[in-house]
Amino acid sequence: MAAGSGGSCLDALGPGELLSAAHALSLPAEAYGNDPNIEMVWAMKAMQHAEVYYNLISSVDPLFLRLTKVDDQIYSEFRESFGKLKIDVLDPEELKSEPAKEKWRPFCMKFNGIVEDFNYGTLLRLDCTQGYSEENTIFATRIQFFAIEIARNREGYNRAVYNGGQQNGAAEKDSTMPR
């Protein structure tokens, strides 16, 4: 859901609260420790991003999407570094284990200064045919999200979501048509 469309966690915040949250999110993490209010604002922002992205790939053919100005570079570096990584259904160990982190770290650092907020946390779907849910979501860095989702888009894996969205849209049209 886009912000302001109803149902978003951010809709409950007023302009002052949103500005405070934006300011708080711009400060270094060390300034907070484990502040539950900051974690809640981050979670709402991450969920909003996930909802917008899922709605996008549901309504626009993912083969034609560009997520960043440097999609080509991200994709080629990703496939050079992770050519055999299975991206349709991710194994969390391929992102989170110590050996995986050692492999991902140099890849991610290549985009420092190239991709804004490259190391910010975001939500990533494990199974690309499914939506965001507690069981199907993992925490990843923004550049990991871009690399995997750009590859899923270019390699056709996200078409299942797009095709499902198109079928749902056609079914909704059919149900509203007078008989």
Side-chain angles (χ1 to χ4, degrees):
M1 259 179 241
S5 64
S8 170
C9 298
L10 295 177
D11 290 343
L13 300 178
E17 293 166 311
L18 285 173
L19 284 174
S20 294
H23 172 71
L25 290 171
S26 70
L27 296 174
E30 298 80 33
Y32 295 104
N34 291 331
D35 184 330
N37 294 325
I38 298 302
E39 290 177 8
M40 179 59 76
V41 171
W42 175 86
M44 289 187 303
K45 184 177 178 181
M47 193 59 215
Q48 181 185 30
H49 173 265
E51 289 173 346
V52 168
Y53 180 69
Y54 193 78
N55 288 340
L56 185 63
I57 62 172
S58 296
S59 57
V60 176
D61 188 339
L63 290 174
F64 301 108
L65 282 180
R66 293 197 56 85
L67 302 180
T68 73
K69 294 177 184 175
V70 291
D71 279 14
D72 294 339
Q73 180 184 356
I74 293 170
Y75 180 72
S76 63
E77 298 268 356
F78 171 67
R79 278 309 187 196
E80 186 176 306
S81 298
F82 300 95
K84 296 193 186 299
L85 181 66
K86 186 175 177 241
I87 60 171
D88 57 340
V89 180
L90 294 170
D91 176 356
E93 289 298 306
E94 295 286 342
L95 296 165
K96 299 294 182 183
S97 70
E98 283 307 314
K101 288 179 183 179
E102 291 301 315
K103 191 168 183 182
W104 275 103
R105 192 170 291 114
F107 170 82
C108 294
M109 292 308 297
K110 287 179 186 179
F111 295 95
N112 186 6
I114 296 171
V115 173
E116 186 178 349
D117 303 331
F118 77 102
N119 62 346
Y120 275 31
T122 191
L123 302 175
L124 179 65
R125 294 171 301 136
L126 294 171
D127 180 343
C128 70
T129 65
Q130 304 297 314
Y132 287 91
S133 67
E134 190 173 336
E135 303 79 32
N136 194 45
T137 303
I138 190 169
F139 180 72
T141 64
R142 187 169 186 182
I143 192 60
Q144 287 174 309
F145 168 86
F146 282 141
I148 291 167
E149 290 296 342
I150 289 167
R152 285 173 167 175
N153 291 343
R154 291 186 175 198
E155 295 173 19
Y157 292 108
N158 277 336
R159 289 206 87 186
V161 172
Y162 172 69
N163 290 336
Q166 298 309 296
Q167 290 171 356
N168 290 342
E172 287 174 15
K173 278 185 189 173
D174 287 345
S175 69
T176 60
M177 297 288 287
R179 305 231 178 225

